[in-house]
Amino acid sequence: MVSEQAAQVLVASNRGPVSYVIGEDGELTAGRGGGGLVSGLSAIGPDTNAVWVCAALGDGDREAVRRTGGRLDPGDTGGQRVRMLGIEPEVYADAYNGVANSTLWFIHHLLYQTPLEPAFGTEFRAQWASYETYNRAFAEALADEAGDGAAVLIQDYHLALVPGMLRALRPDLRIGLFWHTPWASADYYRLLPDDIGRQLLRGVLGADRAAFHTHRWADAFTDCCTQLLGGTGKTRIGVHALGADADFLRERANRPDVDERLAELREQIGSYEGAPRKTIVRVDRTELSKNIVRGMLAYRQLLTDRPEWRERVTHVAFAYPSRQDLAVYRDYTARVQEVADEINSTYGTPGWTPVVLHVKDDFARSLASYRLADVALVNPIRDGMNLVAKEIPVVSEDGCALVLSREAGAYEELGEDALVVNPYDLTATAAALHEALTMDGDERAARTKRLAAAATALPPQRWFLDQLEALRAL
């Protein structure tokens, strides 16, 4: 049954625009989220009847759902209507960690060590059942909240089955899905059990429109559908390359707290023979696909092959721990630290630390590093987009050469003005770092200007509205 306050625009995502923490006194404190979806939803205007459906992620969220029935106080959400789902913790853990992050993420980022993994047995089948339950909860909530003919924008691989489930419940709705990660080639996608691979595709094809960051990922999805299902049916395929929010970044990057972090970083990096050291900057989560270890090994190769750079350049690496509830991520985070320590032990001097590694998440410090970067290193194994590659040129003060993996989604827009590398090739990446460090100042400034223009072509609000308008036009 359609609710009395039926929404005309709905967004569904695993993580919502608010999260709750339980205090010692039992009081709930709400923290508002940021990011492209929050900015995008604000673009539709206060007069539009909209609702955001999301999952409760922790104890605070679940308590908020218990107290409110899941319809949150707009005072906590910036005025947005939010429906939060209190999915059972065990079901959520299986769906989120077991399937979304340990299977779908690995498939689409090509992360499996195939001699040993994957091995899809009874444990995985149980996790998949939880993934179905999790997706069904979203589909039912969206069906409940949506008005007649409403537009529903579903986000990402966590909710791949929702379009098909929602179509069965509410055939009147206009349903869109945006897939934020890459999409695997058909050969790699076939690592999934045959029935589950087809079920996943059919789930996505329940949408009127499925969209991706790049034509490459869209074409890979279409190829999978063609090979496994015979085609994409009536589903339209779109491409929307999410861009950086230039106005927000430039304003935020010049606040006093960023100025303070910038001064601290400059002091930490130091100078050589009276001149500030060059900086190679990366900002990432310790996500396996980000390729942080190979980036550091390429930097070590640079110091080995080009000894003239010793003491003259510092690799400023921000590697913020990610998904530490999974052992493979904990091991990878530890390996990042080990490699940084090895480089510093081998090449460091009393006045120079070759790798300045920060592991505590600090957005202001990240923005400070954007401002001072001479070179940005963005070398993922695969990435749906990679906004860091887009943000650094926008904020850079003196121009920044971008060393960019051809496997990042951002390559499609930025490749012409970046130094493009194979993310597995340490020697070529080291050579690209040398070229970036020696690039003429005028050329670097001109490239940075063009990179920034390309990076901001489709900012979050426009990105969201373009999808909404395309869905309504069907």
Side-chain angles (χ1 to χ4, degrees):
M1 185 176 68
V2 178
S3 68
E4 294 180 1
Q5 289 185 302
Q8 289 305 307
V9 177
L10 300 94
V11 172
S13 62
N14 174 68
R15 183 179 299 275
V18 62
S19 61
Y20 292 86
V21 175
I22 306 174
E24 293 183 2
D25 58 359
E27 289 296 312
L28 286 173
T29 301
R32 289 176 57 189
L37 282 180
V38 175
S39 299
L41 191 58
S42 69
I44 64 176
D47 297 330
T48 302
N49 189 355
V51 66
W52 191 322
V53 178
C54 60
L57 303 187
D59 292 341
D61 288 355
R62 293 187 185 95
E63 179 60 19
V65 170
R66 190 189 68 78
R67 295 182 188 183
T68 65
R71 290 184 171 89
L72 305 183
D73 183 347
D76 293 341
T77 64
Q80 295 172 343
R81 283 176 55 202
V82 175
R83 171 86 176 269
M84 185 175 280
L85 307 179
I87 295 165
E88 289 295 324
E90 297 80 7
V91 171
Y92 180 84
D94 275 355
Y96 183 74
N97 287 328
V99 175
N101 288 341
S102 294
T103 303
L104 301 184
W105 184 273
F106 274 57
I107 287 286
H108 292 298
H109 290 86
L110 315 184
L111 294 177
Y112 280 119
Q113 300 180 57
T114 53
L116 298 174
E117 55 184 13
F120 296 119
T122 55
E123 181 183 4
F124 173 74
R125 292 286 173 170
Q127 292 171 335
W128 184 258
S130 291
Y131 184 77
E132 291 174 318
T133 300
Y134 166 84
N135 275 250
R136 191 172 298 109
F138 271 86
E140 290 172 352
L142 290 166
D144 181 50
E145 296 286 345
D148 292 338
V152 183
L153 292 168
I154 298 161
Q155 304 297 315
D156 224 354
Y157 59 100
H158 312 90
L159 304 177
L161 303 181
V162 172
M165 292 174 170
L166 182 57
R167 173 70 61 212
L169 293 170
R170 293 288 304 277
D172 62 298
L173 301 179
R174 298 185 183 187
I175 303 170
L177 172 75
F178 192 89
W179 195 273
H180 290 260
T181 77
W183 191 278
S185 67
D187 286 345
Y188 205 88
Y189 185 80
R190 285 179 181 271
L191 291 178
L192 287 171
D194 292 350
D195 60 321
I196 284 175
R198 291 187 175 91
Q199 183 184 355
L200 195 72
L201 292 174
R202 291 190 184 102
V204 174
L205 293 178
D208 295 288
R209 196 168 183 276
F212 300 83
H213 279 304
T214 74
H215 291 90
R216 180 182 178 186
W217 310 142
D219 291 346
F221 171 75
T222 299
D223 188 41
C224 281
C225 291
T226 300
Q227 291 197 35
L228 275 71
L229 300 178
T232 57
K234 297 180 180 179
T235 301
R236 306 285 183 88
I237 307 301
V239 173
H240 301 274
L242 175 62
D245 188 338
D247 292 340
F248 165 74
L249 285 169
R250 287 171 178 147
E251 185 278 326
R252 182 66 184 88
N254 286 282
R255 291 185 192 173
D257 61 336
V258 179
D259 292 337
E260 292 172 9
R261 304 299 198 286
L262 183 59
E264 292 168 1
L265 282 173
R266 283 179 170 151
E267 183 177 356
Q268 192 173 20
I269 293 163
S271 60
Y272 178 68
E273 294 184 347
R277 288 191 170 98
K278 296 276 191 179
T279 56
I280 299 169
V281 169
R282 79 171 308 132
V283 178
D284 282 308
R285 293 173 293 110
T286 54
E287 159 55 52
L288 307 182
S289 64
K290 298 299 184 182
N291 211 23
I292 300 169
V293 169
R294 286 193 189 91
M296 288 186 176
L297 295 176
Y299 174 65
R300 184 174 70 182
Q301 188 80 42
L302 172 73
L303 299 180
T304 302
D305 295 346
R306 300 279 185 172
E308 66 268 26
W309 284 114
R310 296 175 193 175
E311 298 207 66
R312 294 178 55 208
V313 63
T314 297
H315 185 17
V316 182
F318 296 155
Y320 301 138
S322 174
R323 300 177 183 170
Q324 295 299 289
D325 48 347
L326 298 175
V328 66
Y329 283 86
R330 294 194 298 272
D331 293 343
Y332 188 75
T333 301
R335 182 60 183 150
V336 169
Q337 183 70 62
E338 288 171 5
V339 174
D341 291 343
E342 289 168 4
I343 295 171
N344 288 337
S345 176
T346 302
Y347 293 104
T349 66
W352 173 54
T353 303
V355 179
V356 172
L357 177 64
H358 289 274
V359 297
K360 183 178 180 182
D361 198 346
D362 185 330
F363 184 53
R365 190 174 57 210
S366 297
L367 290 173
S369 77
Y370 289 3
R371 286 172 57 181
L372 64 78
D374 295 297
V375 177
L377 176 58
V378 181
N379 67 319
I381 293 169
R382 273 164 82 87
D383 224 333
M385 174 50 64
N386 196 293
L387 281 178
V388 170
K390 294 188 168 187
E391 291 169 351
I392 293 181
V394 172
V395 174
S396 170
E397 291 186 346
D398 298 319
C400 177
L402 175 62
V403 176
L404 179 65
S405 167
R406 67 190 185 198
E407 299 301 318
Y411 163 73
E412 195 163 289
E413 300 158 276
L414 307 184
E416 188 173 337
D417 287 298
L419 300 175
V420 179
V421 296
N422 173 345
Y424 300 96
D425 190 338
L426 304 186
T427 302
T429 303
L433 291 173
H434 174 71
E435 183 179 352
L437 289 165
T438 55
M439 186 178 291
D440 173 81
D442 290 341
E443 180 184 355
R444 188 174 69 177
R447 285 187 185 228
T448 303
K449 184 176 180 180
R450 293 193 296 268
L451 287 168
T456 56
L458 199 65
Q461 292 190 354
R462 187 69 255 164
W463 172 83
F464 182 90
L465 288 176
D466 280 3
Q467 293 177 70
L468 183 59
E469 289 166 5
L471 190 59
R472 285 172 163 169
L474 294 176

